[in-house]
Amino acid sequence: MAVLLRLTCVCYPLRSSMQSAARMAMNPRSNKSSGSISCLSTSTSAGTTQASTQIDNRKLPVLLFDIMSTVVRDPFYEDVPAFFGMSMEELIECKDPNAWIEFEKGWINENVEHSISFCTLAFGVSMKLRSNNSIDLPGLFSVELGRKFFKDGRPFDLEGLKNCMRSGYSYLEGVEELLYGLRQNNYEMHAFTNYPNWYQMIEDKLKISRYLSWTFCSCKNGKRKPDHGFYLDALQHLKVDPSNCIFIDDSKTNVNAAIALGIIGLHFKDAKTLLEDLSLMGIQISTDEWEVLI
């Protein structure tokens, strides 16, 4: 069924006075800048602080989006405890505290039969192994998620868990429309997220790559936010100054880590607030009509 949606026009230049900018914000009741704007670059030259500056035909700033609980609903907090027949508190108590983190970093895979790709910085070399190799990686990278998820190693239906997660993925309200508007105005956007290779299930269902690239995923980079190294790797890859990046995340800890490196940080609350925050910074949003197939 096709549902026709119209995106309200927002096209505001960045102003020197935050008070005058606030009067142009989406919310006419607001006479001050949104509290969720965590950082505005004030120390750089005018040429680098203009929101839509074109440098070498590249539109700036570059936008980095967290994915879970910022773009996509995270099933972990409601659906997964229900899948295991537990409360969230019981699940936290039973699960291995490191298994999901290692899964997000790509240090373990969901099955030992799968290829394991990782970069071991301790030795400064890259390795790619398959399970039929005779090399033994003692307890680090060859332990599959299915055996390590729970502290006691209890078996569970891994495919059922994946189906549970897949069913729970959906765009947060208003976010897809916002991403579409940004894409229509040719803003460069990338995922910057802590997530395992299950991000491919999100892509298969929601086709997020229509709007942004899955460039920075912890499972591919081997690092997680708020590790400063992850942010620095992204800046190096993008070849932009920190002041020319806007990072959006629902985690204040992750946003603060970005700000500490000079990146503009926005704490995500909902799509409407993010739209207001971006408009205050001069980010242009398309007004085109478009269709979403449901």
Side-chain angles (χ1 to χ4, degrees):
M1 176 178 68
V3 178
L4 186 63
L5 301 178
R6 181 185 296 273
L7 192 61
T8 304
C9 174
V10 179
C11 181
Y12 299 137
L14 190 65
R15 299 296 179 88
S16 58
S17 167
M18 289 302 295
Q19 183 175 1
S20 63
R23 287 197 295 268
M24 298 187 296
M26 287 292 294
N27 184 358
R29 296 173 295 178
S30 174
N31 290 318
K32 59 184 178 178
S33 60
S34 171
S36 65
I37 298 182
S38 304
C39 172
L40 291 174
S41 175
T42 59
S43 60
T44 56
S45 66
T48 58
T49 54
Q50 290 295 331
S52 59
T53 298
Q54 295 280 354
I55 299 179
D56 296 331
N57 297 320
R58 188 181 192 184
K59 190 167 188 175
L60 298 176
V62 176
L63 281 76
L64 303 177
F65 278 88
D66 172 51
I67 297 299
M68 305 312 295
S69 300
T70 300
V71 174
V72 175
R73 174 184 178 269
D74 193 341
F76 181 78
Y77 299 100
E78 296 180 7
D79 302 5
V80 172
F83 171 79
F84 287 114
M86 302 178 181
S87 66
M88 188 63 186
E89 292 75 16
E90 290 171 331
L91 179 59
I92 294 298
E93 177 63 28
C94 292
K95 78 179 190 68
D96 186 295
N98 298 314
W100 189 260
I101 292 174
E102 293 174 1
F103 191 31
E104 286 188 334
K105 287 185 175 182
W107 290 3
I108 62 175
N109 216 312
E110 61 184 88
N111 292 298
V112 292
E113 290 82 4
H114 290 181
S115 295
I116 304 174
S117 299
F118 63 93
C119 178
T120 169
L121 299 180
F123 299 100
V125 296
S126 296
M127 304 175 66
K128 187 173 184 179
L129 304 178
R130 285 193 173 273
S131 59
N132 58 2
N133 285 13
S134 59
I135 300 175
D136 181 26
L137 301 174
L140 288 177
F141 302 99
S142 60
V143 179
E144 76 276 13
L145 179 69
R147 289 197 291 115
K148 197 174 180 182
F149 188 84
F150 287 107
K151 292 177 183 177
D152 57 10
R154 73 184 71 172
F156 67 93
D157 181 4
L158 181 60
E159 286 303 313
L161 176 60
K162 291 175 66 176
N163 289 333
C164 170
M165 299 285 283
R166 188 182 293 108
S167 297
Y169 295 139
S170 62
Y171 280 102
L172 295 182
E173 183 179 1
V175 172
E176 186 178 12
E177 294 89 337
L178 181 57
L179 292 176
Y180 176 86
L182 291 167
R183 174 55 65 197
Q184 287 297 99
N185 273 321
N186 298 316
Y187 283 101
E188 180 180 337
M189 295 182 287
H190 302 267
F192 187 68
T193 185
N194 295 342
Y195 216 63
N197 57 14
W198 289 359
Y199 79 87
Q200 295 167 345
M201 296 195 302
I202 301 176
E203 171 61 21
D204 290 343
K205 182 176 182 180
L206 303 180
K207 304 295 187 290
I208 287 178
S209 61
R210 290 177 295 173
Y211 311 116
L212 54 79
S213 300
W214 290 97
T215 313
F216 308 110
C217 294
S218 58
C219 64
K220 297 190 290 185
N221 296 78
K223 298 176 184 177
R224 296 176 74 254
K225 300 170 292 183
D227 181 349
H228 281 192
F230 196 9
Y231 298 81
L232 294 174
D233 287 350
L235 291 173
Q236 182 178 20
H237 177 89
L238 294 170
K239 295 180 172 58
V240 294
D241 292 332
S243 59
N244 282 325
C245 277
I246 298 177
F247 170 58
I248 301 108
D249 198 312
D250 66 300
S251 165
K252 287 185 177 180
T253 298
N254 294 342
V255 170
N256 289 338
I259 293 171
L261 295 171
I263 298 170
I264 299 171
L266 296 179
H267 180 220
F268 178 83
K269 295 180 179 178
D270 54 56
K272 181 177 181 294
T273 303
L274 178 57
L275 182 62
E276 293 171 355
D277 292 345
L278 290 173
S279 72
L280 285 170
M281 302 175 69
I283 303 298
Q284 300 171 341
I285 309 296
S286 173
T287 61
D288 292 347
E289 294 181 352
W290 60 297
E291 290 185 352
V292 178
L293 298 179
I294 300 177

